[in-house]
């Protein structure tokens, strides 16, 4: 087995005739040169001793030797040493540089405030992906962040390798006293014309009953406690469900202007790496008002989990055109139906539909469609009582 010293600093393999082995051994011993004899009778000697041994054996012993072996032998036999040294230097510099960069920010301890809000806030205070660790004063970033954002009461930034681990504690700012959120004394009035279908009073005195017809602004619940409850003013609280008769309509013309986009082409391509931007392609010249700009930025991640500080932003310019569209009778009815359904869906967002009837007719200019709807919804609205 070859010694580690030989492998690192280089060695050679000498081979001579069997009858010369004893003479060669004697020469090496008298000269104080270390060697290793292998099982097949070859001598392993250090590269630095080769010139001395060759002079000793010259004219005395015939021998053959190998080329330099080991790491030194590989280096000596490599023809592009300058390129190799330059590559090693660049690689070392790149590794040292990348180890000083913030590659990722991970947030712990938050429940109501999102990770994105915290990371965006940290970027405003001097810590973001792509920054160099040597240029970040973590204590200053923490203090500045807490001064700007009241939703967090504590923050700590730790470095593990190239990742910033941010631990936070949220401030208890949402549990405000009820008296600061709603008025101390209030009534409940109707938000729209309706017929009362259900009323459940938690505090206050009801001013209407089931089946009463009320108009918008009428008083539904008075902010006064009943006598059996001690009387006095209070903040009225109740659930009032009313039946509302309403209608929605649309009118579509035979023709209308429709915006379309065509002639899409790439305006620019930008490669973003850390905080550096490189323009790969860009069209120069001013665009007319006929063109709209569309930005599309693609960010990359490793295995779908680790965000990389690399993205490609592509900017497209598309030509905006206004075309006159003429509807047929069938198209008129279909378009009117879709737009009316969208109106009704928005109207019934927090309501229960009871009845729906629709009529439609062709007009001189297009098509008219109307729906009469009956639905149940919450109609109570709290209004504060002003005291002199």
């Amino acid at each position: 087995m070859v010694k580690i010293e030989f492998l690192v600093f280089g060695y050679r393999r000498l081979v001579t005739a069997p009858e010369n082995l004893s003479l060669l051994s004697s020469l090496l011993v008298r000269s104080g040169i270390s060697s290793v004899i292998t099982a097949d009778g070859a001598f392993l000697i250090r590269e630095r001793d080769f010139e001395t041994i060759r002079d000793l054996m010259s004219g005395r012993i015939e021998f053959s030797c190998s080329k330099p072996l080991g790491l030194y032998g590989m280096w000596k036999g490599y023809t592009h040493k300058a390129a190799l040294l330059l590559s090693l230097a660049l690689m070392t510099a790149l590794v040292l540089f990348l180890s000083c960069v913030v590659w990722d920010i991970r947030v712990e301890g938050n429940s109501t405030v999102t990770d994105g809000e915290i990371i965006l806030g940290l970027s405003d205070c001097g810590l973001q992906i792509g920054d160099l660790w040597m240029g970040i004063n973590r204590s200053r970033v923490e203090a500045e962040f807490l001064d700007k954002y009241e939703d967090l009461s504590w923050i700590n930034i730790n470095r593990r390798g190239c990742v910033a681990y941010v631990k936070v504690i949220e401030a208890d700012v949402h549990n405000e006293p009820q008296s600061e959120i709603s008025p101390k004394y209030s009534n409940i009035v109707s938000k729209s014309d309706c017929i009362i279908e259900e009323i459940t009073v938690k505090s206050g005195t009801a001013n209407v009953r089931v089946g009463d017809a009320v108009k918008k602004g009428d008083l539904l619940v008075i902010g006064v406690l009943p006598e059996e409850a001690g009387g006095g003013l209070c903040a009225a609280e109740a659930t009032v469900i009313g039946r509302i008769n309403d209608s929605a309509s649309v009118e579509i013309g035979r023709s209308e202007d429709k915006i379309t986009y065509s002639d899409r082409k790439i305006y620019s391509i930008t490669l973003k790496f850390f905080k550096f931007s490189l323009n790969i392609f860009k069209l120069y010249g001013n665009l007319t008002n006929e063109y709209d700009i569309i930005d599309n930025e693609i960010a990359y991640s490793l295995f779908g989990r680790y965000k990389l500080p690399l993205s490609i932003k592509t900017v497209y310019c598309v030509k905006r055109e206004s075309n006159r569209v003429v509807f047929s009778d069938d198209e008129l009815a279909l378009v009117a139906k879709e737009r009316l359904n969208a109106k009704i869906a928005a109207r019934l967002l927090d309501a229960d539909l009871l009845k729906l009837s629709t009529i439609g007719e062709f007009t001189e200019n297009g098509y008219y469609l109307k729906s009469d709807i009956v639905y149940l919804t919450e109609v109570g609205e709290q209004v504060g009582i002003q005291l002199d």
Side-chain angles (χ1 to χ4, degrees):
M1 185 175 179
V2 182
K3 295 181 179 180
I4 295 180
E5 177 190 4
F6 284 22
L7 289 175
V8 174
F9 296 103
Y11 68 98
R12 297 229 185 184
R13 179 183 174 91
L14 301 182
V15 178
T16 185
E19 59 271 17
N20 296 327
L21 290 179
S22 60
L23 179 58
L24 179 57
S25 299
S26 300
L27 288 174
L28 293 177
V29 171
R30 286 199 300 267
S31 302
I33 298 175
S34 175
S35 65
V36 177
I37 303 176
T38 63
D40 57 355
F43 286 80
L44 303 181
I45 62 171
R46 292 175 295 192
E47 175 64 23
R48 68 188 183 193
D49 297 330
F50 176 69
E51 294 297 333
T52 303
I53 294 174
R54 185 170 60 178
D55 293 340
L56 289 173
M57 297 174 63
S58 178
R60 298 180 181 180
I61 303 173
E62 293 184 359
F63 69 95
S64 63
C65 64
S66 66
K67 293 181 178 180
L69 303 174
L71 294 179
Y72 177 76
M74 293 174 59
W75 168 254
K76 195 172 181 179
Y78 194 73
T79 55
H80 305 287
K81 295 182 178 63
L84 179 60
L85 288 175
L86 181 60
S87 300
L88 291 175
L90 290 176
M91 186 179 300
T92 303
L94 182 61
V95 170
L96 292 175
F97 171 75
L98 294 179
S99 64
C100 297
V101 175
V102 180
W103 281 86
D104 194 10
I105 299 176
R106 301 178 187 178
V107 183
E108 302 174 359
N110 56 316
S111 57
T112 57
V113 183
T114 64
D115 291 358
E117 291 174 327
I118 296 175
I119 293 174
L120 185 61
L122 288 172
S123 67
D124 295 336
C125 299
L127 173 62
Q128 61 180 335
I129 295 176
D131 287 344
L132 295 177
W133 281 107
M134 62 186 70
I136 299 174
N137 187 333
R138 283 178 276 174
S139 298
R140 184 189 61 79
V141 172
E142 293 168 355
E144 186 176 344
F145 185 87
L146 291 178
D147 286 340
K148 288 185 177 181
Y149 300 94
E150 298 179 353
D151 290 341
L152 300 177
S153 61
W154 181 81
I155 184 171
N156 179 250
I157 302 171
N158 289 316
R159 176 185 177 182
R160 297 181 194 168
C162 299
V163 180
Y165 286 86
V166 181
K167 293 184 179 181
V168 299
I169 295 178
E170 296 177 345
D172 192 13
V173 297
H174 302 288
N175 298 328
E176 299 178 357
Q178 185 70 19
S179 58
E180 296 180 9
I181 300 175
S182 58
K184 186 175 182 180
Y185 305 117
S186 62
N187 298 322
I188 295 178
V189 300
S190 178
K191 292 189 291 186
S192 58
D193 300 346
C194 65
I195 297 175
I196 303 300
E197 289 288 332
E198 178 185 333
I199 180 169
T200 304
V201 179
K202 296 181 181 179
S203 63
T205 304
N207 194 47
V208 294
R209 294 179 296 179
V210 174
D212 289 351
V214 298
K215 293 186 176 295
K216 182 178 180 180
D218 284 355
L219 187 61
L220 302 180
V221 180
I222 305 173
V224 177
L225 293 173
E227 292 183 1
E228 55 270 19
L233 295 176
C234 68
E237 186 178 358
T239 302
V240 184
I241 305 298
R243 185 173 77 248
I244 299 177
N245 294 281
D246 202 355
S247 63
S249 62
V250 294
E251 186 170 3
I252 308 297
R254 280 284 178 185
S255 61
E256 62 182 26
D257 292 330
K258 185 177 181 180
I259 303 298
T260 59
Y261 295 94
S262 61
D263 194 20
R264 172 175 166 172
K265 57 184 178 182
I266 297 177
Y267 180 72
S268 67
I269 300 176
T270 304
L271 174 64
K272 293 184 178 180
F273 183 67
F274 291 109
K275 301 176 72 173
F276 306 99
S277 297
L278 176 64
N279 289 327
I280 300 176
F281 171 79
K282 184 175 183 180
L283 290 177
Y284 292 94
N286 296 326
L287 297 176
T288 64
N289 294 331
E290 297 178 350
Y291 286 89
D292 288 342
I293 299 297
I294 300 175
D295 291 345
N296 181 30
E297 185 168 356
I298 302 175
Y300 295 91
S301 61
L302 187 63
F303 308 120
R305 297 179 57 187
Y306 307 104
K307 182 181 177 182
L308 298 177
L310 174 67
S311 64
I312 297 179
K313 181 180 180 181
T314 306
V315 178
Y316 300 93
C317 56
V318 292
K319 189 174 183 180
R320 183 179 66 255
E321 297 178 349
S322 177
N323 299 319
R324 196 70 178 173
V325 179
V326 179
F327 297 113
S328 63
D329 290 347
D330 292 340
E331 290 173 339
L332 272 175
L334 182 60
V335 173
K337 178 184 176 183
E338 291 176 351
R339 295 183 183 178
L340 183 61
N341 287 342
K343 274 190 173 183
I344 294 174
R347 196 80 57 87
L348 300 177
L349 188 61
D350 297 318
D352 295 325
L353 180 63
L354 297 179
K355 184 179 179 182
L356 172 67
S357 60
T358 304
I359 59 171
E361 61 179 351
F362 288 97
T363 63
E364 208 173 301
N365 298 322
Y367 189 75
Y368 177 78
L369 190 63
K370 177 183 178 182
S371 290
D372 293 321
I373 53 178
V374 181
Y375 59 91
L376 298 178
T377 187
E378 170 68 46
V379 295
E381 182 179 23
Q382 196 175 56
V383 178
I385 299 176
Q386 299 296 329
L387 299 177
D388 295 333

